[in-house]
Amino acid sequence: MERKMEGSTVRDVDTGGETGGEDVLVGNVNKLMVSPPGYSGPQRKGHLIFDACFESGNLGRVDYISEFEFDLFIRPDTCNPRFRVWFNFTVENVRETQRVIFNVVNFSKTKSLYRDGMSPVVKSTSRPKWQRLPAKNVYYYRCPDHRRNYVMSFAFCFDREEDVYQFSYCYPYTYSRLQHYLASLERRNLSYLQREQLGLSVQQRRLDLLTITNPDHLSADKEKKLVFLTARVHPGESPASFICQGVIDFLVSQHPVAQILRDHVIFKIVPMLNPDGVYLGNYRCSLMGFDLNRHWQDPSPWAHPTLHAVKQLIVQMNQDPRVSLEFYIDVHAHSTMLNGFMYGNVFEDEERVQRQAVFPRLLCQNAPDFSFSNTSFNRDVVKAGTGRRFLGGLLDDTSYCYTLEVSFYSYMTAGSNAPVPYTEETYMKLGRNVARTFLDYYKLNNLIKDKRPTHIPSSEVTSQTGNAKGSGIDRDAGDRERGNNQGVRQ
């Protein structure tokens, strides 16, 4: 099939067929200059240069439609053409006041929050803080020109010629950012924080395990209440990393609630279960094309090494009579729903069903963006290989296994009908609220000295983590937080 574009013909030579054969997109564009068809003169300002050859980048192909319009193709997950959602790319060599329309033409999902007002995020060299594009500039529709795929089009006006602009599906949180953050925590030599390498991914990236607890709690004779948390099994779900960092930031802080939790609970956290997928810019799969969250029942040490290592550790701890593994929480992001919410398991025992609802109910009281009404308990066959389902069947009836989901887009607070778009900071705030909720769950509130308020002033948490250079935190997050001085409970 041929498409006519401004008097010239562009043929999809790779497939010999219809333009848009995403099955041939196996690599990211690399400093690709897109000029008008047939143009062979010198490079000009306004001949856009696209690049996605960087960590967590994803853009497989660009088609020139006109001077003002470009079709963009998401590169599918490595070894798995089914998933085309995450994108993350840069544009440079722009002309000042140049207006363009970018059409992302090969999404693999039909439903999307782009229908409900979500928009991509953008930053540029001179404005390094991510911000969402205005929703009025974004359109999501089914397009007859692209195999009736769903297309997300957004309009943008470049305003600074020297800037490099970066566009992404959501705020990226890379493997390198996590490594910088964990290294900054290690340098603080906190007695109650231990970092260890639990294993390596297929491409030899670290699988990190954090243990956060009062070291006295680790003595052999004590029974240990243990909470296990994992994130980023699906690599494109970057909000999960911000939530996870919020949990960690709070638990290692000097806040009185955090100190009490460390005295009574052992927290074990695997912040990035799929480091290869994150590094490669995949949406759902590992390097070898596996959705790791369907392989908990029988993970392979060579094909799913990170999952295998985590499962081994959990099984081993579950067999230790001195360890009471009480919670497993796997953190994800959701592409069609608003707010934070949870999935839990279904049991025959009604009392166990009621007990399992306690933690989400408490979290709903602590976090204005968490929705108990969106929380559901199920036993879908397709979810049998997930961490929540597998461990829900493995652990005893005093253990609770949840998937914590958060919207890629926004939340609605009680009594409001205006969605509030999430920021990196509000994702981290939800993480702090998750950590805080264990105080209520374990009924430790009476241990707060002098009846001090138990809300969490953000400055008391973010100031613990150092500056952006050391921690990988958004450069001005701490300042913004201190300015807002928002407590966790509202």
Side-chain angles (χ1 to χ4, degrees):
M1 172 184 163
E2 295 179 350
R3 290 175 71 192
K4 297 287 183 186
M5 300 178 191
E6 294 204 334
S8 63
T9 300
V10 174
R11 182 185 291 277
D12 187 313
V13 259
D14 297 24
T15 61
E18 182 177 356
T19 299
E22 57 273 351
D23 46 331
V24 300
L25 302 179
V26 292
N28 284 322
V29 296
N30 184 3
K31 297 292 184 185
L32 172 71
M33 187 176 78
V34 181
S35 50
Y39 180 84
S40 58
Q43 176 181 317
R44 289 184 181 170
K45 279 285 184 187
H47 291 175
L48 302 183
I49 296 174
F50 293 82
D51 187 41
C53 273
F54 52 83
E55 188 178 358
S56 292
N58 185 313
L59 183 64
R61 175 173 138 194
V62 182
D63 284 357
Y64 181 102
I65 305 302
S66 77
E67 180 185 352
F68 310 106
E69 187 173 7
F70 301 83
D71 282 357
L72 311 180
F73 293 78
I74 297 168
R75 171 189 53 76
D77 283 9
T78 52
C79 302
N80 195 326
R82 285 180 54 207
F83 299 106
R84 303 178 306 278
V85 176
W86 175 260
F87 58 84
N88 183 13
F89 62 92
T90 63
V91 180
E92 57 191 298
N93 198 43
V94 306
R95 196 176 63 245
E96 194 174 335
T97 72
Q98 182 176 3
R99 293 176 182 277
V100 295
I101 295 173
F102 290 140
N103 308 306
V104 182
V105 300
N106 66 333
F107 278 111
S108 57
K109 286 193 170 210
T110 53
K111 292 180 181 175
S112 172
L113 284 164
Y114 287 124
R115 296 178 307 183
D116 304 311
M118 183 166 108
S119 58
V121 294
V122 63
K123 69 176 184 176
S124 72
T125 321
S126 63
R127 288 151 296 189
K129 182 188 160 195
W130 287 103
Q131 46 194 306
R132 290 187 186 271
L133 294 174
K136 62 182 171 52
N137 293 355
V138 180
Y139 307 88
Y140 188 77
Y141 54 98
R142 185 167 243 169
C143 181
D145 287 346
H146 292 285
R147 307 176 177 182
R148 290 186 58 73
N149 271 344
Y150 277 81
V151 170
M152 187 270 293
S153 296
F154 62 96
F156 192 80
C157 182
F158 297 106
D159 60 349
R160 299 187 188 177
E161 293 197 348
E162 300 314 310
D163 270 15
V164 176
Y165 293 79
Q166 186 172 349
F167 300 91
S168 186
Y169 181 84
C170 192
Y171 312 106
Y173 194 113
T174 62
Y175 171 76
S176 294
R177 174 170 178 167
L178 175 69
Q179 293 304 306
H180 287 307
Y181 170 66
L182 297 182
S184 75
L185 287 178
E186 262 192 314
R187 284 195 295 272
R188 290 165 56 193
N189 293 317
L190 301 169
S191 63
Y192 45 80
L193 170 70
Q194 180 187 353
R195 177 192 184 190
E196 58 192 294
Q197 182 178 295
L198 189 56
L200 292 169
S201 67
V202 174
Q203 289 187 316
Q204 304 299 292
R205 293 189 179 90
R206 285 180 62 104
L207 175 68
D208 282 289
L209 171 70
L210 299 183
T211 304
I212 303 172
T213 194
N214 183 328
D216 297 343
H217 205 69
L218 297 173
S219 60
D221 56 333
K222 281 195 173 182
E223 199 212 357
K224 305 167 181 67
K225 285 188 173 66
L226 196 137
V227 171
F228 205 105
L229 188 138
T230 57
R232 290 305 279 282
V233 69
H234 292 149
E237 297 176 7
S238 56
S241 282
F242 293 103
I243 289 175
C244 194
Q245 181 173 322
V247 171
I248 297 165
D249 279 347
F250 179 67
L251 290 176
V252 302
S253 75
Q254 293 307 308
H255 192 283
V257 172
Q259 293 179 33
I260 289 166
L261 288 173
R262 291 195 299 265
D263 286 344
H264 290 82
V265 184
I266 300 172
F267 292 90
K268 287 196 178 281
I269 300 173
V270 176
M272 196 169 279
L273 255 176
N274 188 350
D276 290 347
V278 171
Y279 188 89
L280 293 164
N282 287 352
Y283 176 66
R284 196 171 180 91
C285 296
S286 65
L287 164 77
M288 296 167 72
F290 294 111
D291 178 346
L292 295 181
N293 205 33
R294 295 295 181 272
H295 288 274
W296 274 89
Q297 286 160 317
D298 191 22
S300 152
W302 67 272
H304 327 108
T306 57
L307 200 61
H308 184 263
V310 172
K311 179 183 171 181
Q312 269 195 318
L313 174 63
I314 292 176
V315 168
Q316 176 190 326
M317 289 189 308
N318 189 49
Q319 290 167 349
D320 184 340
R322 294 163 304 176
V323 174
S324 174
L325 181 46
E326 308 216 327
F327 282 89
Y328 171 74
I329 300 176
D330 189 26
V331 191
H332 289 251
H334 207 281
S335 64
T336 62
M337 291 178 70
L338 302 186
N339 292 69
F341 58 95
M342 281 178 149
Y343 292 125
N345 294 317
V346 174
F347 303 104
E348 304 302 331
D349 176 7
E350 181 57 31
E351 189 198 343
R352 191 176 179 191
V353 170
Q354 294 301 323
R355 280 189 279 125
Q356 193 188 207
V358 171
F359 187 85
R361 285 187 190 281
L362 292 171
L363 179 54
C364 191
Q365 291 169 20
N366 286 332
D369 57 319
F370 184 85
S371 166
F372 187 76
S373 60
N374 284 351
T375 294
S376 64
F377 304 90
N378 63 64
R379 52 158 67 116
D380 300 351
V381 174
V382 293
K383 303 287 179 70
T386 64
R388 164 180 68 88
R389 282 288 304 281
F390 172 75
L391 294 172
L394 173 79
L395 305 177
D396 66 28
D397 63 4
T398 60
S399 304
Y400 303 103
C401 299
Y402 306 95
T403 300
L404 172 62
E405 296 273 4
V406 67
S407 175
F408 271 111
Y409 170 39
S410 69
Y411 59 94
M412 307 253 273
T413 54
S416 166
N417 56 6
V420 181
Y422 273 107
T423 63
E424 295 179 44
E425 175 47 41
T426 49
Y427 283 132
M428 287 199 257
K429 184 174 167 183
L430 178 56
R432 296 198 295 271
N433 282 323
V434 168
R436 158 74 180 77
T437 300
F438 287 104
L439 185 85
D440 299 327
Y441 181 83
Y442 286 117
K443 300 180 178 171
L444 301 170
N445 307 64
N446 59 326
L447 298 177
I448 300 283
K449 287 176 186 162
D450 306 324
K451 302 293 182 197
R452 280 184 60 176
T454 58
H455 73 283
I456 304 165
S458 307
S459 57
E460 200 162 334
V461 176
T462 53
S463 63
Q464 303 294 322
T465 56
N467 61 22
K469 197 171 182 183
S471 66
I473 296 173
D474 181 340
R475 185 172 290 116
D476 57 355
D479 298 333
R480 193 168 63 250
E481 264 294 284
R482 281 185 281 279
N484 293 344
N485 196 25
Q486 293 173 318
V488 167
R489 303 180 83 180
Q490 291 183 346

Coordinates of all heavy atoms in Angstrom, one line a residue, residues 311-373:
K311 N 11.1 -15.0 44.5 CA 10.3 -16.1 45.0 C 11.0 -17.0 45.9 O 10.4 -17.4 47.0 CB 9.8 -16.9 43.8 CG 8.8 -18.1 44.2 CD 8.4 -18.9 43.0 CE 7.7 -20.2 43.5 NZ 7.2 -21.0 42.5
Q312 N 12.3 -17.3 45.6 CA 13.0 -18.2 46.5 C 13.2 -17.6 47.9 O 13.0 -18.3 48.9 CB 14.4 -18.4 45.9 CG 14.6 -19.6 45.0 CD 16.1 -19.9 44.8 OE1 16.9 -19.0 44.6 NE2 16.4 -21.2 44.9
L313 N 13.4 -16.3 47.9 CA 13.6 -15.6 49.2 C 12.3 -15.7 50.0 O 12.3 -15.9 51.2 CB 14.0 -14.1 49.0 CG 14.1 -13.3 50.3 CD1 15.1 -13.8 51.2 CD2 14.3 -11.8 49.9
I314 N 11.1 -15.4 49.3 CA 9.8 -15.4 50.0 C 9.5 -16.8 50.6 O 9.1 -16.9 51.7 CB 8.7 -14.8 49.1 CG1 9.0 -13.3 48.9 CG2 7.4 -15.0 49.7 CD1 8.0 -12.7 47.9
V315 N 9.7 -17.8 49.7 CA 9.4 -19.2 50.1 C 10.3 -19.5 51.4 O 9.8 -20.1 52.3 CB 9.7 -20.1 49.0 CG1 9.6 -21.6 49.5 CG2 8.6 -19.9 47.9
Q316 N 11.5 -19.2 51.3 CA 12.5 -19.5 52.4 C 12.0 -18.8 53.7 O 12.0 -19.4 54.8 CB 13.9 -19.0 52.0 CG 15.0 -19.1 53.0 CD 16.2 -18.4 52.5 OE1 16.5 -18.3 51.3 NE2 16.9 -17.7 53.4
M317 N 11.7 -17.5 53.6 CA 11.2 -16.8 54.8 C 9.9 -17.4 55.3 O 9.7 -17.4 56.5 CB 11.0 -15.3 54.5 CG 12.3 -14.5 54.2 SD 12.1 -12.7 54.1 CE 10.9 -12.6 52.9
N318 N 9.0 -17.8 54.4 CA 7.8 -18.4 54.8 C 8.0 -19.7 55.6 O 7.1 -20.0 56.4 CB 6.9 -18.6 53.6 CG 5.5 -19.0 54.0 OD1 4.8 -18.3 54.8 ND2 5.0 -20.0 53.4
Q319 N 9.1 -20.3 55.4 CA 9.3 -21.6 56.0 C 10.0 -21.4 57.4 O 10.2 -22.4 58.1 CB 10.2 -22.5 55.1 CG 9.4 -23.0 53.9 CD 10.3 -23.7 52.9 OE1 11.5 -23.5 52.9 NE2 9.7 -24.3 51.9
D320 N 10.4 -20.2 57.7 CA 11.1 -19.9 58.9 C 10.1 -19.6 60.0 O 9.3 -18.7 59.9 CB 12.0 -18.6 58.8 CG 12.8 -18.3 60.0 OD1 12.5 -18.8 61.1 OD2 13.8 -17.6 59.8
P321 N 10.0 -20.5 61.0 CA 9.0 -20.3 62.1 C 9.1 -19.0 62.9 O 8.1 -18.6 63.5 CB 9.2 -21.5 63.0 CG 10.6 -22.0 62.7 CD 10.9 -21.6 61.3
R322 N 10.2 -18.4 62.8 CA 10.4 -17.1 63.6 C 10.0 -15.9 62.8 O 10.0 -14.8 63.3 CB 11.9 -16.9 63.9 CG 12.4 -18.0 64.9 CD 13.9 -18.0 64.9 NE 14.4 -18.2 63.6 CZ 15.7 -18.2 63.3 NH1 16.6 -18.0 64.2 NH2 16.1 -18.4 62.0
V323 N 9.6 -16.1 61.5 CA 9.2 -15.0 60.6 C 7.7 -15.1 60.3 O 7.2 -16.1 59.9 CB 10.0 -15.0 59.3 CG1 9.4 -13.9 58.3 CG2 11.4 -14.8 59.5
S324 N 7.0 -14.0 60.6 CA 5.5 -14.0 60.2 C 5.4 -13.0 59.0 O 5.4 -11.8 59.2 CB 4.7 -13.4 61.4 OG 3.4 -13.2 61.0
L325 N 5.3 -13.6 57.8 CA 5.3 -12.8 56.6 C 3.8 -12.3 56.5 O 2.9 -13.1 56.1 CB 5.7 -13.6 55.4 CG 5.7 -13.0 54.0 CD1 6.3 -11.6 54.1 CD2 6.4 -13.9 53.0
E326 N 3.5 -11.1 56.8 CA 2.1 -10.7 57.0 C 1.6 -10.0 55.8 O 0.4 -10.0 55.6 CB 2.0 -9.7 58.2 CG 2.7 -10.4 59.5 CD 1.9 -10.0 60.7 OE1 1.4 -8.9 60.8 OE2 1.9 -10.9 61.6
F327 N 2.4 -9.3 55.0 CA 2.0 -8.6 53.8 C 2.9 -8.8 52.7 O 4.1 -8.8 52.8 CB 1.9 -7.0 54.1 CG 0.8 -6.6 54.9 CD1 0.9 -6.6 56.3 CD2 -0.4 -6.2 54.4 CE1 -0.2 -6.1 57.1 CE2 -1.4 -5.7 55.1 CZ -1.3 -5.7 56.5
Y328 N 2.3 -9.0 51.5 CA 3.0 -8.8 50.2 C 2.2 -7.8 49.4 O 1.0 -8.0 49.1 CB 3.1 -10.2 49.5 CG 3.7 -10.0 48.1 CD1 5.0 -9.7 47.9 CD2 2.8 -10.0 47.0 CE1 5.5 -9.5 46.6 CE2 3.3 -9.7 45.7 CZ 4.7 -9.5 45.5 OH 5.2 -9.2 44.3
I329 N 2.9 -6.7 49.0 CA 2.3 -5.7 48.2 C 3.1 -5.5 46.9 O 4.3 -5.2 47.0 CB 2.1 -4.4 49.0 CG1 1.3 -4.6 50.2 CG2 1.5 -3.3 48.1 CD1 1.1 -3.3 51.1
D330 N 2.5 -5.6 45.8 CA 3.2 -5.4 44.5 C 2.6 -4.2 43.9 O 1.4 -4.0 43.7 CB 2.9 -6.7 43.6 CG 3.7 -6.6 42.3 OD1 4.8 -6.0 42.3 OD2 3.3 -7.3 41.3
V331 N 3.5 -3.2 43.5 CA 3.0 -1.9 43.1 C 3.0 -1.8 41.6 O 4.0 -2.1 40.9 CB 3.9 -0.8 43.7 CG1 3.2 0.6 43.5 CG2 4.1 -1.0 45.2
H332 N 1.9 -1.3 41.0 CA 1.7 -1.1 39.6 C 1.1 0.2 39.3 O 0.8 1.0 40.2 CB 0.7 -2.2 39.1 CG 1.3 -3.6 39.1 ND1 1.6 -4.3 38.0 CD2 1.6 -4.4 40.1 CE1 2.0 -5.5 38.3 NE2 2.0 -5.6 39.6
A333 N 1.0 0.5 38.0 CA 0.2 1.7 37.5 C -0.8 1.2 36.5 O -0.7 0.2 35.8 CB 1.2 2.7 36.8
H334 N -2.0 1.9 36.5 CA -3.1 1.5 35.7 C -3.4 2.5 34.6 O -3.4 3.7 34.8 CB -4.3 1.4 36.6 CG -5.3 0.4 36.1 ND1 -6.2 0.7 35.1 CD2 -5.6 -0.9 36.5 CE1 -7.0 -0.3 34.9 NE2 -6.6 -1.3 35.7
S335 N -3.7 2.0 33.4 CA -3.8 2.8 32.2 C -5.2 3.2 31.9 O -5.4 4.0 30.9 CB -3.2 2.1 31.0 OG -3.9 0.9 30.7
T336 N -6.2 2.8 32.6 CA -7.6 3.2 32.3 C -8.4 3.7 33.5 O -9.5 4.1 33.3 CB -8.4 2.0 31.7 OG1 -8.4 0.9 32.6 CG2 -7.7 1.5 30.4
M337 N -7.9 3.6 34.7 CA -8.7 4.0 35.9 C -8.0 5.1 36.6 O -6.8 5.4 36.5 CB -8.9 2.8 36.8 CG -9.8 1.8 36.2 SD -10.0 0.3 37.3 CE -11.0 1.0 38.6
L338 N -8.8 5.9 37.4 CA -8.2 7.0 38.2 C -7.9 6.5 39.6 O -8.3 5.4 40.1 CB -9.3 8.1 38.3 CG -9.7 8.7 36.9 CD1 -10.6 9.9 37.2 CD2 -8.5 9.1 36.1
N339 N -7.2 7.3 40.4 CA -6.9 7.1 41.8 C -5.9 6.0 42.0 O -5.5 5.3 41.1 CB -8.2 6.9 42.6 CG -9.1 8.1 42.7 OD1 -9.7 8.5 41.7 ND2 -9.2 8.7 43.8
G340 N -5.6 5.8 43.3 CA -4.9 4.6 43.8 C -6.0 3.6 44.3 O -7.1 4.0 44.7
F341 N -5.8 2.3 44.1 CA -6.7 1.3 44.6 C -6.0 0.0 44.6 O -4.8 -0.1 44.3 CB -7.9 1.2 43.7 CG -7.6 0.9 42.2 CD1 -7.7 -0.4 41.8 CD2 -7.3 1.9 41.3 CE1 -7.4 -0.7 40.4 CE2 -7.0 1.6 40.0 CZ -7.1 0.3 39.6
M342 N -6.6 -1.0 45.2 CA -6.0 -2.3 45.3 C -6.8 -3.4 44.7 O -8.0 -3.4 44.6 CB -5.7 -2.6 46.8 CG -4.6 -1.9 47.4 SD -4.4 -2.2 49.2 CE -2.6 -2.1 49.4
Y343 N -6.1 -4.5 44.4 CA -6.7 -5.8 44.1 C -6.3 -6.7 45.2 O -5.1 -6.8 45.6 CB -6.2 -6.4 42.7 CG -6.6 -5.6 41.5 CD1 -5.7 -5.1 40.6 CD2 -8.0 -5.4 41.3 CE1 -6.1 -4.4 39.5 CE2 -8.4 -4.7 40.2 CZ -7.5 -4.2 39.3 OH -7.9 -3.5 38.1
G344 N -7.2 -7.5 45.7 CA -6.9 -8.5 46.7 C -7.5 -9.9 46.2 O -8.1 -10.0 45.2
N345 N -7.3 -10.9 47.1 CA -7.8 -12.2 46.7 C -9.1 -12.6 47.3 O -9.6 -11.9 48.3 CB -6.7 -13.2 47.2 CG -5.4 -13.0 46.4 OD1 -5.4 -12.9 45.2 ND2 -4.3 -13.1 47.1
V346 N -9.8 -13.6 46.7 CA -11.1 -14.1 47.2 C -10.8 -15.4 48.0 O -10.0 -16.2 47.6 CB -12.0 -14.3 46.0 CG1 -13.3 -15.0 46.5 CG2 -12.3 -13.1 45.3
F347 N -11.4 -15.5 49.2 CA -11.3 -16.7 50.0 C -12.7 -17.2 50.3 O -13.7 -16.5 50.4 CB -10.5 -16.4 51.3 CG -9.2 -15.8 51.0 CD1 -8.9 -14.4 51.2 CD2 -8.1 -16.6 50.6 CE1 -7.7 -13.9 50.9 CE2 -6.9 -16.1 50.3 CZ -6.6 -14.7 50.5
E348 N -12.7 -18.5 50.7 CA -14.0 -19.1 51.1 C -14.4 -18.6 52.5 O -15.5 -18.4 52.8 CB -13.9 -20.6 51.1 CG -13.4 -21.3 49.8 CD -14.4 -20.9 48.7 OE1 -15.6 -20.7 48.9 OE2 -13.9 -20.8 47.5
D349 N -13.4 -18.4 53.3 CA -13.6 -18.0 54.7 C -14.0 -16.5 54.8 O -13.2 -15.6 54.5 CB -12.3 -18.3 55.5 CG -12.4 -17.8 57.0 OD1 -13.5 -17.4 57.4 OD2 -11.3 -17.8 57.7
E350 N -15.2 -16.3 55.2 CA -15.7 -14.9 55.2 C -14.9 -14.0 56.2 O -14.7 -12.8 55.9 CB -17.2 -14.9 55.7 CG -17.8 -13.6 55.7 CD -17.8 -12.8 54.4 OE1 -17.8 -13.5 53.3 OE2 -17.7 -11.6 54.4
E351 N -14.5 -14.6 57.3 CA -13.7 -13.8 58.3 C -12.4 -13.3 57.6 O -11.9 -12.2 57.8 CB -13.4 -14.6 59.5 CG -12.8 -13.7 60.6 CD -12.0 -14.5 61.7 OE1 -12.3 -15.7 61.8 OE2 -11.2 -13.9 62.4
R352 N -11.8 -14.2 56.8 CA -10.5 -13.8 56.2 C -10.8 -12.7 55.1 O -9.9 -11.8 54.9 CB -9.9 -15.1 55.5 CG -8.5 -14.8 55.0 CD -7.8 -16.1 54.5 NE -6.5 -15.9 54.0 CZ -5.8 -16.7 53.3 NH1 -6.3 -17.9 53.0 NH2 -4.5 -16.4 52.9
V353 N -11.9 -12.8 54.4 CA -12.3 -11.8 53.4 C -12.4 -10.5 54.1 O -11.9 -9.4 53.7 CB -13.6 -12.2 52.8 CG1 -14.1 -11.0 51.9 CG2 -13.4 -13.4 51.9
Q354 N -13.0 -10.4 55.3 CA -13.2 -9.2 56.0 C -11.9 -8.6 56.5 O -11.6 -7.4 56.5 CB -14.1 -9.4 57.2 CG -15.6 -9.7 56.8 CD -16.2 -8.6 56.0 OE1 -16.0 -7.5 56.2 NE2 -17.0 -9.1 55.0
R355 N -11.0 -9.5 57.0 CA -9.7 -9.1 57.5 C -8.9 -8.5 56.4 O -8.1 -7.6 56.6 CB -9.0 -10.3 58.2 CG -9.4 -10.5 59.6 CD -8.6 -11.5 60.3 NE -8.9 -12.9 60.0 CZ -8.0 -13.8 59.5 NH1 -6.8 -13.5 59.3 NH2 -8.4 -15.0 59.2
Q356 N -9.0 -9.1 55.2 CA -8.2 -8.6 54.1 C -8.6 -7.2 53.6 O -7.8 -6.5 53.0 CB -8.4 -9.6 52.9 CG -7.3 -9.3 51.8 CD -7.6 -10.1 50.6 OE1 -6.6 -10.4 49.8 NE2 -8.8 -10.5 50.3
A357 N -9.8 -6.8 53.9 CA -10.3 -5.5 53.5 C -9.8 -4.4 54.5 O -10.0 -3.2 54.2 CB -11.8 -5.5 53.5
V358 N -9.3 -4.8 55.6 CA -8.9 -3.8 56.7 C -7.8 -2.8 56.2 O -8.0 -1.6 56.3 CB -8.4 -4.5 58.0 CG1 -7.9 -3.5 59.0 CG2 -9.6 -5.3 58.6
F359 N -6.7 -3.3 55.6 CA -5.6 -2.5 55.2 C -6.1 -1.4 54.1 O -5.8 -0.2 54.3 CB -4.4 -3.2 54.7 CG -3.2 -2.4 54.5 CD1 -2.4 -2.0 55.5 CD2 -2.9 -1.9 53.2 CE1 -1.3 -1.2 55.3 CE2 -1.9 -1.0 53.0 CZ -1.0 -0.7 54.1
P360 N -6.8 -1.9 53.1 CA -7.2 -0.9 52.1 C -8.2 0.2 52.7 O -8.2 1.3 52.4 CB -7.9 -1.7 51.0 CG -7.6 -3.1 51.2 CD -7.0 -3.2 52.6
R361 N -9.0 -0.3 53.7 CA -9.9 0.7 54.3 C -9.1 1.8 55.1 O -9.4 2.9 55.1 CB -10.9 0.0 55.3 CG -12.0 -0.8 54.6 CD -13.0 -1.3 55.6 NE -14.0 -2.2 55.0 CZ -15.0 -1.8 54.2 NH1 -15.3 -0.6 54.1 NH2 -15.8 -2.7 53.7
L362 N -8.1 1.3 55.8 CA -7.3 2.2 56.6 C -6.5 3.2 55.7 O -6.4 4.4 55.9 CB -6.3 1.5 57.5 CG -6.9 0.7 58.6 CD1 -5.9 -0.2 59.3 CD2 -7.5 1.6 59.7
L363 N -6.0 2.6 54.6 CA -5.3 3.4 53.6 C -6.2 4.5 53.0 O -5.7 5.7 52.8 CB -4.7 2.6 52.5 CG -3.9 3.3 51.4 CD1 -2.7 4.1 52.0 CD2 -3.3 2.2 50.4
C364 N -7.4 4.2 52.8 CA -8.4 5.1 52.3 C -8.6 6.3 53.2 O -8.8 7.4 52.8 CB -9.7 4.4 52.0 SG -10.9 5.4 51.1
Q365 N -8.5 6.1 54.5 CA -8.6 7.2 55.5 C -7.3 8.0 55.5 O -7.4 9.2 55.8 CB -8.8 6.6 56.9 CG -10.1 5.9 57.1 CD -10.2 5.1 58.4 OE1 -9.4 5.3 59.3 NE2 -11.1 4.2 58.4
N366 N -6.2 7.5 55.2 CA -4.9 8.2 55.2 C -4.6 8.9 53.9 O -3.8 9.9 54.0 CB -3.8 7.3 55.6 CG -3.8 6.9 57.1 OD1 -4.3 7.6 57.9 ND2 -3.3 5.7 57.4
A367 N -5.0 8.4 52.8 CA -4.6 8.9 51.5 C -5.8 9.4 50.8 O -6.7 8.7 50.4 CB -3.9 7.8 50.7
P368 N -5.9 10.8 50.6 CA -7.1 11.3 49.9 C -7.3 10.8 48.4 O -8.3 10.9 47.9 CB -6.9 12.8 49.9 CG -5.4 13.0 50.2 CD -5.0 11.8 51.0
D369 N -6.2 10.3 47.8 CA -6.3 9.9 46.4 C -6.5 8.4 46.3 O -6.6 7.9 45.2 CB -5.0 10.2 45.7 CG -3.7 9.7 46.4 OD1 -3.7 9.7 47.6 OD2 -2.8 9.2 45.6
F370 N -6.6 7.7 47.5 CA -6.9 6.2 47.4 C -8.4 6.0 47.4 O -9.1 6.5 48.3 CB -6.2 5.5 48.6 CG -6.3 4.0 48.5 CD1 -5.4 3.3 47.7 CD2 -7.3 3.4 49.2 CE1 -5.5 1.9 47.7 CE2 -7.5 2.0 49.1 CZ -6.5 1.2 48.3
S371 N -8.8 5.1 46.5 CA -10.3 4.8 46.4 C -10.6 3.4 46.9 O -10.1 2.4 46.3 CB -10.7 5.0 45.0 OG -12.0 4.4 44.8
F372 N -11.3 3.3 48.0 CA -11.8 1.9 48.4 C -12.8 1.4 47.4 O -12.9 0.2 47.2 CB -12.3 1.9 49.8 CG -12.6 0.5 50.3 CD1 -11.5 -0.3 50.7 CD2 -13.8 0.0 50.4 CE1 -11.8 -1.6 51.1 CE2 -14.1 -1.3 50.8 CZ -13.0 -2.1 51.2
S373 N -13.6 2.3 46.9 CA -14.7 1.8 46.0 C -14.1 1.2 44.7 O -14.7 0.3 44.1 CB -15.7 2.9 45.6 OG -15.0 4.0 45.0

